[in-house]
Amino acid sequence: MAEKRNIGIGFFERYLTLWVVLCMIVGVLIGKFLPAIPIFLGRFEYANVSIPIAILIWLMIYPMMLKVDFRSIKNVGNNPKGLFVTWVINWLVKPFTMFGIAWLFFFVLFKSFIPTDLALDYLAGAVLLGAAPCTAMVFVWSHLTKGDAAYTVVQVATNDLILLAAFTPIVAFLLGVSGVQIPWDTLLLSVVLFVVIPLSGGVITRHLVVKKKGIGYFQNNFIPKFDHITVVGLLLTLIIIFSFQGEVILENPLHIVLIAIPLILQTFLIFAIAYIACKALKLPHSIAAPAGMIGASNFFELAVAVAIALFGAGSPVALATIVGVLVEVPVMLMLVHFANKTKGWFINE
């Protein structure tokens, strides 16, 4: 069902890159001058999963899952070509192009700047980003490109269902190819904690609130209550992560830029593939733009969560996923501008 309220990008979301940079600075300063704080927080973990960070990540992901209406899947038969583009790009193309591009840059082009062990960690972070296509911010990108809101919901809902089944084996396969040891129990636990539980909670909450108050109340009154919780949870998580990452960042500031380059190129590449495929299939712009956005952007909250669970908050793998957060918003806004400028390329609606 289409969102009726205005979901244009808000103040916090619009300047997310600035907030990430500020959180990075605060976190690094805490790690440098108040090391007792990350040491204390590091005591609270289970199966390599940080309990404080897990709580904050639930705060990030749960509001996103509230927006997913799985009843919209009944409309999957209406103009399925756009869905096929989304599915193929997200699960048969994107994870593998991310692996290829990241491997090329980290192990070949940047070989003289990045030691092999760090390159392997950065590659793992890139893989986690590549295997986690966007599930929530795409609603914003779709709105800004005047995308078909109902169709976007179908894309997101079906993508979430595929995510439940495909994320773990794809990540395990690609990390295995790269030589990273796979702690299967932690990986599966991460998917349960950061996908299954918040997704189930979102579905149950949505059903109960809609049943009691109606869809209008849910969309116009209930959902807005969570507008800033995701961003606040993300920023607090980043402060904690960067407090663990302080030494790595201070010792390798150039690496932030080196990680960002392949991530940005991957974003442009995936958008181009999806956008051109939709044009070739003669789909309307209102379907093509969201199809390109959902593949180009990442479910970085999940990528960050799994990186922390698998490798620890202080690992270079987690740092690589954080760089994905750093570049996401400005790059996606550039693509939104491009999509709006090229609306004439598509059939009239």
Side-chain angles (χ1 to χ4, degrees):
M1 182 174 292
E3 292 281 343
K4 294 181 180 179
R5 67 189 185 92
N6 185 347
I7 56 171
I9 191 166
F11 175 78
F12 282 106
E13 290 83 359
R14 183 179 299 277
Y15 299 103
L16 182 57
T17 298
L18 174 61
W19 310 138
V20 171
V21 172
L22 292 176
C23 287
M24 180 176 71
I25 295 172
V26 172
V28 170
L29 292 176
I30 290 175
K32 181 68 174 178
F33 298 106
L34 298 172
I37 293 178
I39 292 174
F40 174 76
L41 293 176
R43 296 176 181 173
F44 302 94
E45 65 175 40
Y46 176 77
N48 296 322
V49 176
S50 168
I51 302 303
I53 292 179
I55 294 172
L56 291 173
I57 289 174
W58 281 330
L59 290 179
M60 285 191 285
I61 297 177
Y62 173 71
M64 298 180 180
M65 297 306 186
L66 288 173
K67 300 177 182 178
V68 179
D69 184 3
F70 284 96
R71 293 177 302 172
S72 61
I73 295 177
K74 64 185 179 181
N75 301 318
V76 71
N78 300 333
N79 199 355
K81 291 188 290 186
L83 293 175
F84 292 146
V85 171
T86 299
W87 299 338
V88 170
I89 296 298
N90 285 349
W91 301 108
L92 298 180
V93 177
K94 181 180 179 180
F96 305 97
T97 56
M98 175 66 91
F99 178 89
I101 291 174
W103 184 89
L104 174 64
F105 276 86
F106 295 149
F107 286 93
V108 180
L109 300 181
F110 296 156
K111 185 177 181 179
S112 58
F113 300 103
I114 303 177
T116 301
D117 56 339
L118 272 182
L120 192 61
D121 287 336
Y122 295 158
L123 177 62
V127 165
L128 291 174
L129 286 169
C134 187
T135 64
M137 283 295 283
V138 70
F139 288 116
V140 174
W141 312 135
S142 176
H143 174 75
L144 294 179
T145 56
K146 296 180 174 59
D148 184 324
Y151 201 88
T152 301
V153 171
V154 177
Q155 290 174 305
V156 170
T158 55
N159 191 67
D160 277 355
L161 290 178
I162 296 173
L163 177 70
L164 292 175
F167 179 79
T168 298
I170 288 177
V171 168
F173 170 74
L174 291 177
L175 292 187
V177 169
S178 65
V180 176
Q181 294 295 319
I182 308 299
W184 277 92
D185 55 343
T186 304
L187 181 56
L188 292 172
L189 176 63
S190 300
V191 174
V192 171
L193 285 177
F194 305 123
V195 180
V196 177
I197 290 178
L199 183 58
S200 300
V203 170
I204 293 171
T205 303
R206 183 185 185 97
H207 173 74
L208 293 177
V209 174
V210 170
K211 183 179 180 180
K212 184 175 182 180
K213 296 283 189 176
I215 188 64
Y217 172 85
F218 179 80
Q219 292 178 338
N220 300 317
N221 299 97
F222 189 78
I223 286 287
K225 296 178 181 179
F226 297 89
D227 276 350
H228 300 309
I229 291 181
T230 292
V231 176
V232 171
L234 173 63
L235 297 182
L236 290 176
T237 302
L238 296 183
I239 291 176
I240 294 177
I241 293 174
F242 281 121
S243 71
F244 288 116
Q245 293 282 355
E247 291 300 321
V248 176
I249 294 172
L250 292 175
E251 293 175 2
N252 304 286
L254 176 63
H255 288 196
I256 303 295
V257 176
L258 298 182
I259 295 170
I261 292 174
L263 297 184
I264 292 172
L265 290 178
Q266 159 79 357
T267 302
F268 288 136
L269 173 64
I270 292 301
F271 176 84
I273 294 174
Y275 205 56
I276 292 172
C278 288
K279 186 178 187 305
L281 292 171
K282 302 185 185 304
L283 293 171
H285 184 265
S286 62
I287 291 177
M293 298 297 173
I294 194 172
S297 54
N298 301 305
F299 191 174
F300 51 74
E301 294 85 356
L302 175 62
V304 170
V306 176
I308 294 169
L310 288 178
F311 304 99
S315 72
V317 180
L319 176 63
T321 60
I322 296 304
V323 176
V325 183
L326 192 64
V327 302
E328 171 103 353
V329 173
V331 173
M332 292 307 300
L333 287 175
M334 289 174 60
L335 291 177
V336 165
H337 179 74
F338 175 82
N340 288 334
K341 287 290 186 180
T342 55
K343 188 174 182 178
W345 292 4
F346 295 81
I347 61 175
N348 294 325
E349 302 177 69

